Each structure stands twice: as C-alpha cells, then as structure tokens.
Amino acid sequence: MPAEPTPNQLGDDEHLKVLGYEGSFNRSMSLWANFALGFTYLSPLVGVYSLFATALAVGGPPSIWWIVIVGAGQLLVSLVFGEVVSQYPIHGGIYPWARRLWGRRYAWMAAWVYIWAMIVTITAVAEFGSVFVGSLFDLELTPTVNLAITLSLLLLAFFFNFSGTKTLARVAQIGLAAELVGVIGLGLYLLIFQRKQEFSVFFDTMGVEGDGSYLTAFMGAALAGLFLFYGFEACGDVAEEVSNPARRIPKAMVMTILVGGVSALFSFGGYVLAAPDLGAIVAGDDTDPIPHILESTLGPVGAKLFLVVAITAFISCVLSLQAAASRLLFSFARDGMIPGHRWLAKVSEKNKVPTNALIVACTVPALLAVLIFLNDGLLLPITSFAVLGIYVAFQMVVLAALRQRLKGWKPAGPFSLGGLGFIVNALALAYGVFAMVLLATPGATGVFLTDYVVLIGLGVVVVSGLLYLLIARPDRKSDAPSGDAIAVADEIRTRTGATAAVDAPAAR
C-alpha cells in the first residue's frame, strides 16, 4: 500500500498526477527492496571479480584506491540524482529526468545511449556468469555450452521479472544477501584468517611503472573503480513501484554507493592480502587468480560454496538489469518516443509489470549472445563502450540539472541538499568529465581497433541515434511534458504549502 504522505509532502498518486501520469503499477517495493535492486545491479562481487587481475597488473596493489576515488565521485552524482528523483519519482530514471530538466531531443539521446549500454551490460554479465556455472558443475566451456548457460541465465531472470514486482524484490533481496556474504563475509575471513601480505602492500607499486612514472600506471588502473560504481540509478528506474519514492529512492541510491564501496574494499583488499603469489598476479602471469586464492584459502568444498553464492549474485544482477532496462523502455514508450511504443507501453493487468518491454530486455541480449557465439571476438567491441555510454548518460542528467539551477530551479522534492545543491552539482559534473576522459582515452597497443574500440562503440550508438532523431523526429510525435523543472517545483510547493518556506532550514 502507498505510504501516507507527511504534512509537507504529496501522496504518491497525487505527486504522479502533478507530473502528468496515472498510476499503473503496484507500489509493493520497500526501501530495503529498492536498495537491494540497486546494490545487485552495482554488484561489487561481479565488478571486483571481473577486474581484479587487470587492475593489479596495470596499477599494482595501490589500484585499490580507485574504489575510494570513484566511490566519492559517484556519491556526488547520486546526491544530484536524489534531488531530481525526489521531484520526479517516475519510471525510467535517466530518460524522464533528462526530458523534464532539458527537453525531448536531449532526452532522446540520453535514453538511446543509456538503453544500449544497459542492453550490452545485461549480455556481458550473463556471459561472465556462465563461467561460474561452468566451474560449479565442472563443465568444459565450449562456445555451445557457454551460449546455453548464458541464455538460461537470461531466461531465468526474465521469468522472475515476469512474475511481478514482489518476486523481483524477493530475488533482489536474496541476491543482496549473497553479495554481502560473498564480498564482506569472505573479505573479512580472508583479512582476519588468511592474510599473507602486510597492509603496507597497498602503498607498494611492486614495479608496475617500469622505468616510467607511476602516475601513468595508476591512471591506467582507473577501471578498477569506474567499472564498479553504477547501478544506483536503477533505484529510480522503478520509482512507480516504490512506496513513498520521493523519500526512499534517494536514500536507497546513497546506501547503494556507500555499502557497495565498503563491500568492494573488503573484497578487493581481502583477495590482495590472501594471495599466495601476489607477484605472479602483478606480473600478469596469473590472469585468473581468484579461483586459486579461493582454493588455497577455502579448500575445494569452500570454493564450490562460493561459486553458489557468486552464481546467485550474477542471477540477481541480470534480474536487476533487466528490470531497469524494461522500465526505461516502458517510460520511453509511454511518451511515444520509440518505434512500437504502443506495444512496449503495455502493462500486464495481472502482474503489473511492462511485459513487452521485458521481452525486449531479454530478447536483444539473447541475440547479442548468439552473435558472440558465432564470433567470440565481438564480446570486447560490443561491451567496451557500455561503461562510457552509461557515464555519458549520467552526465547528461547532471549537466541538465546544473543548467536548471542556473535558471533558478530549486528542487521541490522532500530530499533536498538546500544551499549545497549547486556546489555538489558542479563537483559531480567535474568528476564526470574527468571519468569520461579516463574511459575514452585510447590505448597504446598500436592496433587501431583495440586502442579506439571504446570510442568506436560509442560513436556507432550516438550516430545511429542522431540519424533516427533527425529522420524520424520522434520528439515531434510526443506531447508529454518536458523542460518543466521550475514550473513543477512551483506547483509542488503550492500544493504542499511550502512556497513561503522554500529557503527555510525546515524545507531543506
């Protein structure tokens, strides 16, 4: 049931009507479930496992500090998003935020880049998860076996999502428990009982810089953090299924960053300190060290149990990604901004989920998995742009929010930073530009495709989106509200009686 509004806050349905929409979903998602959704999307277990060997080989043990640096930067972004979603607690996250803060064409490009980044990420996570399933059952991961497992993970997540919001919330919470056991629990065990290195190792470059500057090596290891800290925005993608979303979603976003950061530090640090041959990992001789670390510290049975926990986390991660992608597609379609919008905007009467959008969020990643099966060399090109694409979409919202502030916008949701809002917004944009530069910097292998694959991938998505926007003009076919941040803030304050108190401490 929707939460009762506080005296200075609109009720959930009234808030939605102010924004121009009628409720179509069950508000059965609690703060804890919303946090679980964002956390399992962020998935420190998946992120640390995927990048541990690469980060150490490039930047050595000090690469762990990128978790702190990026976590702090993304915390600023989450605070900006918190103010935006508190005023606009509607499905779709990035797309409606960009639309209401700037305009229809701007939102089209933000959503186009973001949805492709999410679709590719769904594929990549399912592909990586298949490795764990294969290891658990001692399967030889031939291309056919890998494809079968990947498709099975996609279908399993689809089944859970199709069952409704309550099932989504339950599985996300199970995934959260698995993540916490797999990262914090295991990390603490390794730190306390299996430590083979001194803590000072996190300040030891172990010679990765060679004859050059360590700064270059350290900057090259930035992916250790940049690939980890997104997913918190998924909390806002399902806003219309959350009770009291204007207050709860900003809290869930911040919790996702803070708990995710601590979890990643425990996990990454635990693996480093428990590594029996850290030098081999840093030298690049051991390219998949975590299984070796687990077997040497937990034994064969313990390593198998960890695989069960990891697979649970991967399933929950795919589930959360599909849920977020389907809600973005639904929001996009509800405003008539995408081909097949009437079909994509349909909501199941029984389960109250956007079933057709879910079908797309499962089918397109499955098709990409088939393409990878036919040519496994495609995995890197189609996934390399994903993180940069997500950061670009994020910063389009951050930039739009800063633009509105310069025009006089003061966020009217119950979550507000008050006078600090402008400073936090500006710092979040500066961080985002810094992060995008790091992600877009070409490699130095001398092979053009390898060095520029991130920019090529993003370029293909951006150019195709621009061509469709200029030729089909979906923005002209949509009459949903846009660019109304100041007007909506004024309307909310009028309805809550907060107009005269906008600058008062209580309003902040």
Side-chain angles (χ1 to χ4, degrees), residues 231-295:
F232 60 90
E233 79 284 358
C235 299
D237 288 337
V238 295
E240 293 173 41
E241 294 164 71
V242 179
S243 177
N244 198 3
R247 287 189 181 276
R248 288 178 171 171
I249 292 176
K251 293 178 182 178
M253 286 181 174
V254 173
M255 287 167 60
T256 297
I257 293 291
L258 294 178
V259 179
V262 171
S263 301
L265 283 172
F266 274 120
S267 183
F268 194 103
Y271 288 137
V272 169
L273 295 176
D277 191 355
L278 184 60
I281 304 173
V282 174
D285 297 330
D286 188 352
T287 57
D288 191 18
I290 292 180
H292 303 151
I293 295 171
L294 293 176
E295 287 189 12

Side-chain angles (χ1 to χ4, degrees), residues 13 17 73 77 126 172 213 231 280 297 315 322 332 370 378 382 398 482 488:
D13 290 340
K17 287 181 180 179
V77 176
S213 167
T297 55
I315 293 171
Q322 279 187 2
F332 217 18
V370 173
L378 291 175
I382 68 173
V398 173
S482 62
V488 168

Side-chain angles (χ1 to χ4, degrees), residues 167-183:
T167 303
L168 166 64
R170 290 192 189 102
V171 177
Q173 289 172 347
I174 293 171
L176 171 62
E179 287 271 0
L180 294 178
V181 170
V183 289

Side-chain angles (χ1 to χ4, degrees), residues 64-114:
I64 192 174
W65 299 113
W66 276 111
I67 296 175
V68 178
I69 295 169
V70 176
Q74 290 293 73
L75 179 61
L76 295 173
V77 176
S78 73
L79 291 172
V80 175
F81 283 8
E83 284 198 306
V84 177
V85 74
S86 191
Q87 178 167 315
Y88 290 107
I90 47 181
H91 262 6
I94 297 294
Y95 160 68
W97 301 342
R99 181 182 180 114
R100 308 303 281 265
L101 291 170
W102 197 302
R104 294 188 294 272
R105 285 177 290 181
Y106 187 83
W108 159 264
M109 285 308 304
W112 180 254
V113 172
Y114 183 57

Side-chain angles (χ1 to χ4, degrees), residues 133-215:
V133 176
S135 297
L136 178 64
F137 295 102
D138 296 319
L139 299 174
E140 182 184 353
L141 273 183
T142 63
T144 302
V145 171
N146 188 79
L147 176 63
I149 297 174
T150 299
L151 294 179
S152 297
L153 291 176
L154 291 171
L155 287 172
L156 181 61
F158 172 78
F159 171 77
F160 286 136
N161 267 310
F162 192 84
S163 299
T165 304
K166 288 185 177 180
T167 303
L168 166 64
R170 290 192 189 102
V171 177
Q173 289 172 347
I174 293 171
L176 171 62
E179 287 271 0
L180 294 178
V181 170
V183 289
I184 294 184
L186 178 60
L188 282 172
Y189 171 77
L190 296 177
L191 286 171
I192 296 172
F193 300 108
Q194 298 292 335
R195 185 162 61 89
K196 297 177 177 64
Q197 317 292 335
E198 297 296 327
F199 285 102
S200 59
V201 75
F202 295 117
F203 300 93
D204 184 355
T205 67
M206 298 184 70
V208 293
E209 68 274 22
D211 296 328
S213 167
Y214 177 67
L215 180 62

